[in-house]
Structures are given as C-alpha cells and as structure tokens.
Amino acid sequence: MDIKIGDIVTRKSYNHDIVFRVSNVDKQIVQLLGVELRLEADAPLDDLTIAVRTDLEKIQKKSKEKEEFSYRLFRQDYQLMREKKTHQISGGYKRNLSYFQLPAKVLHLDGDLIYLRKCISLYQRIGLHVHGVHLSEKEMPQAVGPLIERIQPDIIVITGHDSYSKNKGEKKDLRAYRNSKYFVETVREARRVNPHLDQLVIFAGACQSHFESMIRAGANFASSPYRINIHALDPVYIAAKIAYTPFMESVNVSDAVRNTLTGEKGMGGIETRGLLRTGLPFIEEAEKHTDQPDDENIKEF
C-alpha cells in the first residue's frame, strides 16, 4: 500500500477505532498522530488502512458535535459567572453599571501545529488573549523559561502528543511514556521562574500522560489520571475556566473538567484560584473580533 506523510489512516489491529495522520514513514514502520486525539503511536505499514472519505466525514461530524456541546457548556458557565459578578458589583440593585474585565494571558506550547491552530481559533472564539508556540515536546524544557520571561503569561498550556507503552514498563514508570518526561521537565522549568501556583497556572499533558508526575512537578491541572486519550481542545477549556473564574474564588476542579470532551478520567487537577479581575468604569472603544486563527499568534521554533 502506498502510504505517505499526511495520509489519514486507521489501524486494523485496533478495529479502526482511532483516526490518525501519518507524520513519518521509516521503511515498514509508520509514525502516527491522532487527528482528534492528542495521541502519538507507530504501526507496521501492513496494519494500516487509508480512511474512507465517507467514514472520515462521519467521524468529523460527530467530533464537531462534541466540540460544540463543550463550547455551549462553557458559554453557560461563563454567563452564570458574569451574571453573578454583575449582581455583586451592583450590590443586588437593578441599575446599569459599566465595568470591564481583565482576563488572563495564555502561553500555549504545542507539539502539533495543526492542533495549535485549532486551539487558537477556540481561544479567540472564547475571547482569550493567547500566544501560541509550536515546537517539539523535546524542545519545550529549554524554551519555556525564556518564553515566560518575555511574554509574562498568567496561564501556561504545555501539550502535544503522548502515549503509554506497556512494553516499556508499568504505568507508574515515567520511562514507559513517549513524551511525559518532557512535559514534566517543562513544568519544573516553568516553576523555577515562578513557583507560585496561583500566580502562574499550568496545565500539562496529552493522551495517556503520567498525570501524577506532572502534578508533583508543579502543574495545577494535567492529563491523564486514568491514562485515557484526551481531545485536542481539552486543554483550552481548562485554561478558559481558570481565566474566567474571579480571582477571589477558587476554580472547582469538577466544574473545570466537566466542560472538557474527556471528563474526569482524562483530566484532573488541584484547587486553584481564578484569574479574572473586574474594574470600573468601562470606556467603550472599537475592538476587533475574529474567529479565525491569527498567524501572528503562532511562532515556530
């Protein structure tokens, strides 16, 4: 079978359960990246089948429906938080008050450029200011410190692709994971710059990642407690929940993971203070809104 980089394929041995994009072909071994899931894998060439277009369209439609459902959940939560804040500011009186909010600044490190573009599109749709950086998972530990110093983010998302291999060790063995060790090192380096859990909030991990190690290293939220696959957009919803929770309140971990496409088996974290600050008065000015990714927000390393 003539399989080349960029082809969309499935694995026969796994009953075609996950759709992958071919990232490299080395003789008879093919390296794969999940199309919707942050999973990295490899497979023999003869185990792969090019995805049928009609089947792929069905999968993409189903995935889009899940994404829209999560977005609606987030919007509902955001609206409730906004109404609560308005009530607090007005002291319970029905009067018009013009106030403004300062949401958090996000630094998003991603090992997959396609996923990064999708995430930035969602950040912009939600209304968050994001700096997206595409670089390999191995490069992240060296790059994160200078990026923090330059960008001064409130939230860092450290993600890409990962996977657990039982042939390399038990689930508690960090060496049995493809990229978890790099995520852990990146979290540690970020904590060298800012050790305060409520001043710099960190999400780290991808599919099947070593959740416990990243939390011990200093992450506020991480994947994957039950070593399951997570959706490409899950980290964005965690960041958004933190960014839009008032700084005088703690982020409810259960509520934060509820908005993700994966849920509590794929995402977890620790009690963390919100980062949204509100001020008065609001001076109206023209703003530019777009739902499309801005290439200026993406930097190649």
Side-chain angles (χ1 to χ4, degrees):
M1 184 181 296
D2 184 20
I3 290 181
K4 59 186 182 302
I5 294 174
D7 283 346
I8 306 300
V9 300
T10 59
R11 296 176 295 183
K12 302 174 188 175
S13 58
Y14 285 82
N15 198 28
H16 311 281
D17 60 340
I18 298 175
V19 179
F20 290 94
R21 183 176 71 254
V22 174
S23 63
N24 190 41
V25 180
D26 185 8
K27 297 181 180 179
Q28 295 300 308
I29 300 298
V30 181
Q31 294 180 345
L32 307 168
L33 301 176
V35 171
E36 300 295 339
L37 303 174
R38 289 189 173 276
L39 179 66
E40 183 173 356
D42 50 53
L45 187 62
D46 57 9
D47 188 36
L48 300 178
T49 299
I50 294 179
V52 179
R53 181 177 178 180
T54 54
D55 292 340
L56 183 59
E57 289 174 350
K58 290 179 182 178
I59 293 171
Q60 290 174 335
K61 181 181 178 181
K62 187 176 180 180
S63 177
K64 186 66 175 177
E65 290 173 352
K66 290 181 178 179
E67 292 174 13
E68 288 301 315
F69 179 72
S70 287
Y71 179 72
R72 287 196 299 272
L73 283 178
F74 169 79
R75 293 297 303 178
Q76 290 172 7
D77 281 356
Y78 173 74
Q79 189 61 36
L80 287 173
M81 287 188 291
R82 187 177 180 87
E83 290 173 359
K84 180 180 178 182
K85 176 57 67 177
T86 301
H87 182 81
Q88 291 173 342
I89 291 175
S90 66
Y93 295 103
K94 292 183 178 180
R95 56 194 178 97
N96 292 325
L97 286 174
S98 59
Y99 64 90
F100 61 91
Q101 294 178 325
L102 298 177
K105 184 191 301 182
V106 182
L107 170 60
H108 184 114
L109 308 183
D110 208 313
D112 189 301
L113 182 57
I114 294 176
Y115 282 177
L116 177 59
R117 292 182 184 277
K118 289 182 67 174
C119 287
I120 287 181
S121 179
L122 182 56
Y123 281 121
Q124 294 179 335
R125 187 179 182 188
I126 288 172
L128 285 178
H129 179 52
V130 58
H131 290 265
V133 181
H134 173 230
L135 67 170
S136 73
E137 292 82 356
K138 293 181 180 180
E139 296 174 303
M140 291 180 181
Q142 292 75 37
V144 70
L147 284 169
I148 293 173
E149 296 286 0
R150 179 163 59 89
I151 296 171
Q152 296 292 302
D154 304 293
I155 301 172
I156 300 181
V157 172
I158 302 163
T159 189
H161 292 280
D162 205 358
S163 62
Y164 162 70
S165 175
K166 61 181 180 180
N167 295 327
K168 295 181 179 179
E170 298 180 2
K171 288 186 177 180
K172 62 182 180 181
D173 188 351
L174 191 60
R175 293 172 295 183
Y177 296 79
R178 191 178 295 263
N179 286 317
S180 285
K181 60 183 178 181
Y182 302 120
F183 295 144
V184 169
E185 290 173 12
T186 306
V187 172
R188 286 182 181 146
E189 289 302 317
R191 285 292 172 223
R192 291 183 196 277
V193 179
N194 191 333
H196 301 288
L197 293 172
D198 290 322
Q199 292 181 5
L200 179 63
V201 179
I202 300 175
F203 170 89
C207 283
Q208 304 176 15
S209 291
H210 198 295
F211 169 79
E212 300 90 330
S213 290
M214 278 172 275
I215 294 295
R216 286 196 295 266
N220 300 72
F221 288 83
S223 61
S224 167
Y226 286 78
R227 306 303 192 262
I228 68 170
N229 298 327
I230 72 168
H231 193 274
L233 300 177
D234 279 344
V236 178
Y237 285 112
I238 294 293
K241 181 65 176 180
I242 298 162
Y244 284 117
T245 298
F247 85 102
M248 292 298 289
E249 299 178 13
S250 293
V251 176
N252 186 301
V253 177
S254 178
D255 287 346
V257 270
R258 184 176 71 91
N259 290 342
T260 66
L261 288 92
T262 304
E264 62 183 12
K265 289 188 176 181
M267 315 288 280
I270 60 173
E271 187 178 30
T272 301
R273 188 184 294 276
L275 294 173
L276 181 66
R277 293 178 180 268
T278 301
L280 292 167
F282 171 70
I283 302 174
E284 189 171 358
E285 60 183 12
E287 295 181 357
K288 177 184 177 182
H289 296 282
T290 177
D291 287 342
Q292 299 301 319
D294 185 350
D295 285 344
E296 292 182 358
N297 286 331
I298 301 177
K299 305 298 180 184
E300 294 275 2
F301 270 59

